[in-house]
Amino acid sequence: MPAMGTNLGTSDGRITDSQIAYYTERAKGGAGAIIFENSYVHKSGKTMFNMVALDDDSAVADFSRLADSVHKYGAKLIAQLNHGGRQTSRDICRKQPIAPSPIPCPVLREIPRELKIDEIGMLVNSFAQAAERVQKAGCDAVEFHMAHGYLVCQFLSPFSNQRSDIYGGSLENRVRFAREILQCTRAQVGDNFPLICRISADEMVPGGLVLEESRIIAQRLVEAGASALHVSACNYASYAWNIPCYYLDEGVFLHLAAAIKSVVEVPVIAVGRILTAQKAEEILQNNTADLVAVGRALIADPYWPEKSFRAASNEIRPCLSCNQCIESISKGRVVCGVNADVGNEGKSWTLPETSRKILVIGGGPSGLEAARVAAGLGHGVVLYEKKNRLGGLLQAASSPPGKESFAKLITYYEHQLNKLGVQIKLGQECCLKTVRFEKPDAVIMATGSTARMLFAEDGTRMRIMSSEEMLNDARHGGEKILVVGGGPEGAEVADFLAVRGKSVTVIEMKNKFAFGLPTSIRYHLEQKLKQNGVKLQRGVEVLRILKETVILKNRAGRQWEAGGFDTIVIAIGRNPVEDLMEELKELTIPVYVIGDARGPGRIKGAISDGSRVAREL
Ligand SMILES: Cc1cc2nc3c(=O)[nH]c(=O)nc-3n(C[C@H](O)[C@H](O)[C@H](O)COP(=O)(O)O)c2cc1C
Ligand code: SF4
């Protein structure tokens, strides 16, 4: 498991019980080695408010508790040592950020202070002392974060290092800081403590590190004492590739790992959208790398390794590469789009005293999760779904190009619900009579939502449908399509249509498109729309749909008539389906409303709603 920040620590850098529980769960799940999230070696290098500290000896006790807990389940614990350099802000590190050169990070834009030579020496010692603490705490290795545009990477890269002294200019000078860290640490921890270096073999920015140079850097690091290399990519300026989302290929950085492996003798770790055990095995068999790091897939399902070992991959809750996790840590603690238990691993839930009969109405993500958790707690669960397949909006969500893997989540739930003995009644609408017939002890209303629509003038010749209808069946056709609404649904349906060669125009009242999606995903979606010639009009709304044209209005109040469309796809939000709610009030049993039926939202909210309510039963 590669290092992944959780923000579960305290603001003064202490490891919390919930953090220990989070990692212990992944150790129980069978991870061979866990690289703990990046921790700062010096306060000036803090990059998150709740980042864990390794800058003084009080950290030893924390890491010791963590290591003991992880070791109980046979996993190795590796600490990742970091200094953010310019990739932080004054708000977090309390002073002007420091860096090799006073060049701001293009994303954060704060001008850093150039480090003086004696300060560089001080920071070398900070890394070495932090490594010593980690060793004292009983951890099995350290990983120096020399990747992703943080301080060491800033020294390595001409993108951020323009010094004219012995730490800048030539490659040998730029690699000096990293070499000194390794040499100084090696002198303090001895020969038998593994020192791993994580590098960005390609920064994927103009003027940044490229593979050719990184191969030489890799050799220099090994000469200076690196025991293994962990090959990643990017920095903040290339954030859209760093943690590869569903628009990027699986194993997107494997060519980098292979190229580094061919020039060094030490083990090489590959990372980046490695989602299945088959892929991991193929990497090892093909000698592409010596070790495989699986990150988000272990957030989504901590038992991924254990399930893979017993060839039960159909039991794995799939990571969707939806990047809600990375988006979440910029605002608070880590959450996962598909795993509502993330961060709650240490929580002791009150188990139900008696098994009850639960009726779940609706087989979308919230209903599926509620049924899964309730059945797992020993309740008898019956689930009604009016369509003849499970998934609800997940079906439409898996249609846009690149999002096909969302269908795996439906397969996961189908498998889980069957295994747990949930009675699934497909193609059956649940009404008050059905509820009376089933005689449940509680009802969970997961009836979802319907698309908000716009009304057209009688006799309009244009076909009008919701984005969901279009995504569920591309045979609806249409060649010249107006998409009304440029939120995630509108942008995705535009992408879906554009790759099918349609002429697509999207209008959106706000100034942004695909708002609400994680930034890395929005970036790729916007690029795709541009490349496929989709016309995007911001600050525009539709006032009326006439027989052959539409009346549009912009922010300045100007109105005009636009035509030439044969189809209008509406993506302006959704309304909860509440039909049964009033009738159910007649019953004396508890009724819980979850997911879109409670308030339209995204998959993450629906799943956490389902999980929460099932535990409250
Ligand atoms: C929530 C989150 C936090 C991350 N934090 C770190 C970190 O602390 N240090 C680091 O080197 N990489 C970090 N990463 C990057 C991961 O280590 C890994 O390179 C990336 O997720 C790609 O691997 P995957 O596709 O298996 O998830 C983080 C990724 C995520 C999703
Ligand atoms: S939030 Fe999305 S990308 Fe992150 S672990 Fe969960 S499913 Fe995977």
Side-chain angles (χ1 to χ4, degrees):
M1 176 173 170
M4 288 181 291
T6 60
N7 248 334
L8 289 170
T10 65
S11 57
D12 59 349
R14 299 276 66 94
I15 295 178
T16 58
D17 288 346
S18 56
Q19 216 163 8
I20 294 183
Y22 169 92
Y23 285 98
T24 306
E25 185 74 356
R26 272 92 199 147
K28 276 189 204 166
I34 291 176
I35 307 179
F36 184 70
E37 61 201 80
N38 75 125
S39 310
Y40 61 87
V41 298
H42 190 272
K43 281 197 176 52
S44 57
K46 193 172 167 180
T47 58
M48 292 192 303
F49 285 110
N50 291 2
M51 189 171 178
V52 167
L54 259 171
D55 64 334
D56 72 44
D57 290 345
S58 59
V60 176
D62 272 9
F63 276 82
S64 210
R65 272 192 319 135
L66 174 70
D68 287 350
S69 188
V70 163
H71 284 159
K72 269 190 210 137
Y73 298 93
K76 302 286 179 202
L77 183 72
I78 301 166
Q80 189 185 55
L81 276 44
N82 195 19
H83 187 294
R86 70 179 188 170
Q87 283 187 171
T88 184
S89 71
R90 201 184 279 261
D91 285 351
I92 298 176
C93 69
R94 299 275 169 218
K95 281 192 175 158
Q96 184 182 12
I98 48 178
S101 304
I103 315 164
C105 153
V107 176
L108 300 181
R109 298 191 179 169
E110 218 166 300
I111 298 178
R113 181 174 64 75
E114 182 174 282
L115 281 163
K116 301 192 189 91
I117 290 263
D118 60 327
E119 290 176 312
I120 296 175
M122 181 274 290
L123 288 171
V124 167
N125 279 327
S126 300
F127 273 99
Q129 283 162 5
E132 235 189 319
R133 291 181 190 115
V134 167
Q135 188 185 34
K136 254 194 214 148
C139 298
D140 302 282
V142 294
E143 177 174 88
F144 293 114
H145 203 338
M146 300 186 171
H148 301 174
Y150 294 114
L151 185 66
V152 186
C153 182
Q154 284 159 36
F155 270 92
L156 293 173
S157 171
F159 183 64
S160 37
N161 182 350
Q162 290 180 5
R163 297 179 75 95
S164 50
D165 60 11
I166 54 162
Y167 289 100
S170 68
L171 183 144
E172 302 303 332
N173 279 354
R174 281 182 276 124
V175 84
R176 191 181 305 278
F177 180 49
R179 289 177 59 121
E180 286 178 355
I181 290 173
L182 281 161
Q183 284 155 349
C184 182
T185 307
R186 183 57 79 211
Q188 300 203 22
V189 298
D191 287 341
N192 294 327
F193 195 63
L195 305 180
I196 305 168
C197 295
R198 188 170 221 206
I199 57 167
S200 281
D202 187 345
E203 280 190 291
M204 301 180 75
V205 288
L209 287 172
V210 291
L211 184 56
E212 214 173 307
E213 213 177 28
S214 295
R215 294 174 89 188
I216 306 170
I217 291 173
Q219 290 171 323
R220 297 290 176 270
L221 297 177
V222 174
E223 283 160 20
S227 327
L229 298 173
H230 189 166
V231 182
S232 186
C234 305
N235 60 34
Y236 277 14
S238 45
Y239 67 90
W241 284 266
N242 184 10
I243 296 163
C245 70
Y246 46 69
Y247 289 129
L248 302 181
D249 290 340
E250 291 187 28
V252 59
F253 303 137
L254 286 178
H255 64 292
L256 302 174
I260 297 291
K261 183 168 160 55
S262 67
V263 294
V264 295
E265 296 293 325
V266 299
V268 165
I269 309 170
V271 72
R273 242 190 135 216
I274 299 164
L275 296 171
T276 62
Q278 286 81 347
K279 185 71 186 175
E281 190 58 36
E282 184 191 305
I283 294 166
L284 301 179
Q285 295 297 336
N286 294 347
N287 234 357
T288 307
D290 305 283
L291 295 124
V292 174
V294 174
R296 288 163 296 169
L298 295 194
I299 300 182
D301 192 338
Y303 289 81
W304 185 103
E306 185 271 324
K307 290 173 183 175
S308 303
F309 280 134
R310 58 180 171 85
S313 55
N314 54 1
E315 287 183 24
I316 293 175
R317 178 171 34 219
C319 166
L320 305 179
S321 306
C322 66
N323 280 1
Q324 298 283 343
C325 46
I326 190 69
E327 198 77 1
S328 67
I329 61 164
S330 58
K331 298 174 197 122
R333 49 171 243 180
V334 67
V335 298
C336 171
V338 299
N339 180 359
D341 292 335
V342 166
N344 294 325
E345 288 81 358
K347 212 165 174 175
S348 45
W349 304 99
T350 344
L351 291 175
E353 282 167 16
T354 48
S355 164
R356 302 161 75 202
K357 178 167 177 182
I358 311 299
L359 173 62
V360 178
I361 311 176
S366 65
L368 291 170
E369 176 70 358
R372 184 189 74 83
V373 176
L377 289 170
H379 296 298
V381 182
V382 186
L383 184 148
Y384 276 75
E385 165 54 50
K386 71 175 177 195
K387 296 215 173 106
N388 51 17
R389 52 186 189 170
L390 290 175
L393 276 180
L394 276 173
Q395 295 283 0
S398 61
S399 293
K403 290 186 69 191
E404 297 79 6
S405 62
F406 278 50
K408 286 192 186 153
L409 191 59
I410 308 176
T411 315
Y412 161 77
Y413 278 117
E414 283 168 345
H415 187 269
Q416 289 295 307
L417 267 45
N418 282 325
K419 200 176 141 198
L420 290 162
V422 172
Q423 276 185 60
I424 301 172
K425 305 208 171 176
L426 291 178
Q428 296 188 41
E429 188 143 14
C430 194
C431 59
L432 187 60
K433 219 168 118 195
T434 334
V435 180
R436 289 214 163 100
F437 165 78
E438 288 288 353
K439 297 192 184 62
D441 298 309
V443 176
I444 298 181
M445 291 267 297
T447 40
S449 56
T450 49
R452 246 179 245 155
M453 293 301 284
L454 292 171
F455 294 102
E457 199 166 87
D458 279 349
T460 184
R461 294 206 186 88
M462 293 175 287
R463 203 172 339 181
I464 299 172
M465 67 185 70
S466 68
S467 55
E468 184 190 350
E469 282 170 307
M470 181 56 97
L471 288 169
N472 278 335
D473 193 350
R475 287 170 305 179
H476 285 304
E479 291 304 320
K480 293 192 171 170
I481 301 169
L482 174 68
V483 177
V484 181
E489 289 78 17
E492 283 174 1
V493 79
D495 184 29
F496 173 86
L497 293 166
V499 296
R500 287 170 168 75
K502 316 287 181 179
S503 151
V504 185
T505 303
V506 186
I507 56 164
E508 166 53 46
M509 276 168 78
K510 295 193 181 137
N511 244 342
K512 283 206 244 174
F513 278 101
F515 41 88
L517 284 175
T519 43
S520 54
I521 292 184
R522 202 167 64 221
Y523 174 87
H524 290 288
L525 184 52
E526 283 187 350
Q527 293 300 311
K528 272 153 60 87
L529 295 180
K530 265 187 217 153
Q531 279 157 15
N532 287 319
V534 172
K535 295 176 263 312
L536 302 173
Q537 295 185 18
R538 295 172 165 83
V540 175
E541 64 179 306
V542 64
L543 290 183
R544 287 175 66 197
I545 302 175
L546 308 175
K547 279 201 177 60
E548 290 184 357
T549 55
V550 288
I551 307 284
L552 302 177
K553 183 181 153 195
N554 68 9
R555 289 248 179 96
R558 186 174 78 82
Q559 293 185 16
W560 69 100
E561 199 168 334
F565 305 111
D566 53 35
T567 306
I568 301 185
V569 175
I570 314 278
I572 54 168
R574 307 187 62 82
N575 293 320
V577 174
E578 298 168 318
D579 304 350
L580 208 51
M581 227 88 86
E582 275 305 307
E583 292 180 66
L584 289 188
K585 283 189 182 150
E586 285 181 25
L587 304 175
T588 49
I589 54 170
V591 176
Y592 302 88
V593 185
I594 61 169
D596 271 14
R598 196 166 68 83
R602 307 200 54 81
I603 297 171
K604 173 166 70 68
I607 290 181
S608 66
D609 242 18
S611 167
R612 177 183 53 78
V613 159
R615 291 187 198 280
E616 280 172 14
L617 289 168

